[in-house]
Amino acid sequence: MEFRPFIRVAVCGLGLRIPVSSKASRGGVHSSATPCYCEISLPHFAIETVPISLVSSSLMTAPDVYNTVASFYLDEPALEKLLLPSCMPRMTIPCLEVAVFLGKQKLGIFRLPVGLDWAEGKPAVLHSGWTIIGNGKVDGGKPGAGAELHAVIKVEADPRYLFQFDKVTALSPQIIQVSGKKQQSIFSCKFSRDKLSRCRVGASDISSSSAWSSSFENKEKRKERKGWLVMVHDLSGSPVAAASMVTPFVPSAGSDYVARSNPGAWLILRPESPGADNWRPWGRLEAWREKGGKEVGFRFQLVSEGGGVTDVGNLVLTSETFLSAKKGGEFTIDAKRLRQEVFLGISPVESPKRSSTSSRSSGELSSGLGLHAIGEFVMSCGVRGDRDSSKPLVQVAMRHLNRVEDVAVFIALAAAVDLSVDACQPFKRRLRKELAEAMSSS
C-alpha cells in the first residue's frame, strides 16, 4: 500500500518557572492557587489549551520531555499553505506560538517560526530548553528576570493511509485506497440485517439480548433500529472484519431521540484466524443524540487483550467524539487524549519509547500495540450529516499497521460510525432512501 506523507509537530515537556522575587512566590515556587495554562496555536489549526505545571527555580531538572501535550499534523498541501506569505497578515513569518497564562494574566508568548526544514520530514528537535517570556510582573511583583518556559518542539514524519468508500455504506461499497492520482480497490463491504445476530466469539455467544445489550428493557415495544451488520471482505472474498449492531437504537422515554443514558451499540469484530467462523471482539462503539438534537455523540472502547465479551471491565475508553448532526464531522482516535495505556488488537509494530508493552511475535494475530498518551494520531473517519449521503473518508496512521488486514477493523469502525448517524436520527423522520432500500432488500 502507498502512503500519503504527513508530518507531526509535537509540543512536549512543558514547565513554568516564576521568579522568586515575585511577592506571591515562596521557596522558588509560585504559591498562588490560580491555575497556569498554555494556549498552543499554529495558523489554520484550532488552538490547544493545556495545563502547565510550576517548577521550582531551585531545581535544575527539566520537565518530562516525553510528555506530549499538543500535536499538529500537516500534509503537503497544509504545509505549503502555511508557508505562503499570504497566510499571515503584514507578510509576517508564521509561527508556532505557546501563550502562557496565570489565571487571566498573560505572562508571555514563546514563538517558533515555521521553516522549510519542516517539509523534510526527518526527525528533528526544533527547540529544547528554557526560554524567558514576559517581564516577570506576576501578581504585583517587581520586574525581575522574567518567567521562564520549558518546552521541547519536535517534528517527524507520520505518514497515513487514506481510504474512501466509493458509495454510501448501506449500498455495500468498495473501499478504495487513495494515493495521489492512483486509486485501488482494497476491500468490499456488505450491508445486511441481522445475519450475525448469533455467532461464536471466543467462548461466548453474542446477540441483541447478550450482556453487551443495554439493561434498559423496551417493554413498550416502541420503534427501534436494530440488527444492522456490515461485513468487510478482502479481495479474495474472505471476511476480515465486521461491525454488528448488538444494542438497538431506541428513543428515550418522552423523547424522539436516542439518549446518552441508553445508547445504541456496535461490536467491532475480527476473525480468530483467517477464514475462521469464530470471531473475537476488537472494540465497542456506542452512539446517541445529544440533548437538543444538534450533536451525535460517540464513545469507542477497545477490548483489552484476552478480554471476554461479557466483562465490561475489559473495556478501555479510547475516544469520545461529538459531531454536528446536520453538518457531520470527524470521528477521531488520537492517543494524546488517552490517560492510560490501551491495547489495539492488531499486528505488532515498533513500540514507542518508554512503552512498557512487551514485544510479541509478528505472526500472533492476538498481539497488541501499546499506546501511551504521547500525542499519536491513530485514525479518523469523516462523515456527513444525517440528511446527506455520506461516503466516509478514513485515515489511518501507517505506524499502527503492519499488513493490509489490519486496516479492516478501522474500515468496520468507520462503517459503524457512518450508520450510527442515521440510526440516531429522530424517529419521526424517515431514514434516507438508500438505507431504507438496503434494509428492505436484505
Side-chain angles (χ1 to χ4, degrees):
M1 297 188 295
E2 294 187 21
F3 62 83
R4 182 172 176 177
F6 272 78
I7 65 166
R8 169 176 170 252
V9 181
V11 180
C12 317
L14 288 185
L16 179 65
R17 290 197 300 221
I18 296 178
V20 181
S21 59
S22 170
K23 293 180 180 179
S25 298
R26 297 292 187 273
V29 179
H30 194 273
S31 62
S32 173
T34 305
C36 298
Y37 65 94
C38 293
E39 291 185 350
I40 305 172
S41 61
L42 189 66
H44 313 304
F45 287 86
I47 295 175
E48 297 273 358
T49 302
V50 298
I52 183 171
S53 59
L54 286 166
V55 180
S56 172
S57 59
S58 62
L59 299 178
M60 300 304 295
T61 57
D64 183 4
V65 297
Y66 292 102
N67 181 23
T68 300
V69 297
S71 295
F72 300 92
Y73 302 93
L74 297 84
D75 59 4
E76 290 179 340
L79 187 57
E80 290 175 0
K81 182 179 180 181
L82 191 61
L83 292 172
L84 287 175
S86 60
C87 78
M88 295 289 287
R90 300 180 182 178
M91 305 294 285
T92 57
I93 298 175
C95 293
L96 172 70
E97 295 187 352
V98 182
V100 183
F101 294 84
L102 178 65
K104 296 183 179 180
Q105 180 183 5
K106 180 185 284 188
L107 300 183
I109 301 178
F110 166 77
R111 293 183 175 90
L112 180 70
V114 177
L116 292 174
D117 54 336
W118 290 27
E120 296 178 2
K122 298 179 181 179
V125 177
L126 306 176
H127 171 84
S128 179
W130 292 95
T131 303
I132 295 176
I133 57 171
N135 59 11
K137 292 182 179 180
V138 181
D139 287 347
K142 298 179 180 179
E148 294 179 285
L149 173 72
H150 185 277
V152 177
I153 316 296
K154 300 184 290 187
V155 63
E156 64 177 345
D158 193 18
R160 302 179 185 179
Y161 294 116
L162 272 65
F163 305 94
Q164 178 83 59
F165 287 48
D166 73 345
K167 51 188 174 184
V168 298
T169 305
L171 296 182
S172 301
Q174 295 287 311
I175 308 303
I176 309 298
Q177 185 191 359
V178 181
S179 179
K181 296 181 179 180
K182 296 181 180 180
Q183 294 190 352
Q184 176 185 0
S185 179
I186 192 168
F187 295 110
S188 63
C189 289
K190 176 63 178 177
F191 174 82
S192 60
R193 294 194 65 190
D194 212 22
K195 299 295 179 60
L196 200 64
S197 60
R198 292 194 67 82
C199 71
R200 297 295 296 178
V201 182
S204 305
D205 286 327
I206 64 166
S207 69
S208 58
S209 61
S210 73
W212 287 91
S213 301
S214 170
S215 60
F216 176 81
E217 294 294 337
N218 187 20
K219 295 180 180 179
E220 299 180 4
K221 304 294 183 182
R222 292 196 301 269
K223 296 178 182 179
E224 60 182 8
R225 293 163 183 157
K226 65 178 182 178
W228 299 3
L229 169 69
V230 176
M231 294 289 292
V232 181
H233 299 84
D234 62 18
L235 296 180
S236 69
S238 299
V240 286
S244 179
M245 186 186 287
V246 292
T247 301
F249 285 69
V250 298
S252 62
S255 171
D256 196 37
Y257 295 107
V258 179
R260 183 180 187 134
S261 59
N262 185 49
W266 301 75
L267 272 186
I268 311 302
L269 305 155
R270 65 183 311 165
E272 286 284 2
S273 59
D277 293 332
N278 287 1
W279 296 75
R280 65 182 177 91
W282 178 74
R284 183 186 190 222
L285 177 73
E286 295 178 338
W288 64 90
R289 192 90 168 213
E290 279 291 286
K291 187 176 181 180
K294 294 184 179 180
E295 290 186 321
V296 179
F298 294 92
R299 181 187 299 114
F300 179 65
Q301 296 166 296
L302 286 168
V303 179
S304 61
E305 187 176 2
V309 179
T310 60
D311 186 1
V312 295
N314 289 312
L315 298 176
V316 182
L317 180 63
T318 306
S319 175
E320 189 162 295
T321 304
F322 298 90
L323 309 180
S324 167
K326 183 178 180 179
K327 298 180 181 179
E330 279 198 350
F331 169 87
T332 303
I333 300 177
D334 194 322
K336 79 178 180 182
R337 293 180 172 87
L338 302 185
R339 295 184 178 181
Q340 65 184 103
E341 180 178 307
V342 298
F343 291 92
L344 288 178
I346 59 178
S347 300
V349 296
E350 183 179 355
S351 297
K353 290 182 179 179
R354 296 173 62 86
S355 172
S356 61
T357 306
S358 60
S359 60
R360 299 172 174 87
S361 168
S362 61
E364 186 180 356
L365 186 63
S366 62
S367 60
L369 167 66
L371 291 179
H372 291 258
I374 58 174
E376 287 187 1
F377 170 86
V378 179
M379 70 88 70
S380 69
C381 167
V383 297
R384 297 184 182 179
D386 57 12
R387 298 188 183 185
D388 298 320
S389 297
S390 181
K391 300 177 182 179
L393 176 66
V394 183
Q395 301 185 37
V396 184
M398 190 177 75
R399 71 173 72 203
H400 299 300
L401 306 173
N402 199 43
R403 52 189 174 191
V404 176
E405 290 79 5
D406 292 337
V407 180
V409 285
F410 293 108
I411 298 299
L413 175 58
V417 169
D418 183 41
L419 290 171
S420 293
V421 176
D422 290 299
C424 287
Q425 285 192 66
F427 282 76
K428 64 183 178 182
R429 185 189 302 169
R430 291 184 178 181
L431 294 174
R432 288 188 294 108
K433 180 180 178 181
E434 301 96 331
L435 183 55
E437 291 178 351
M439 292 174 62
S440 62
S441 62
S442 60

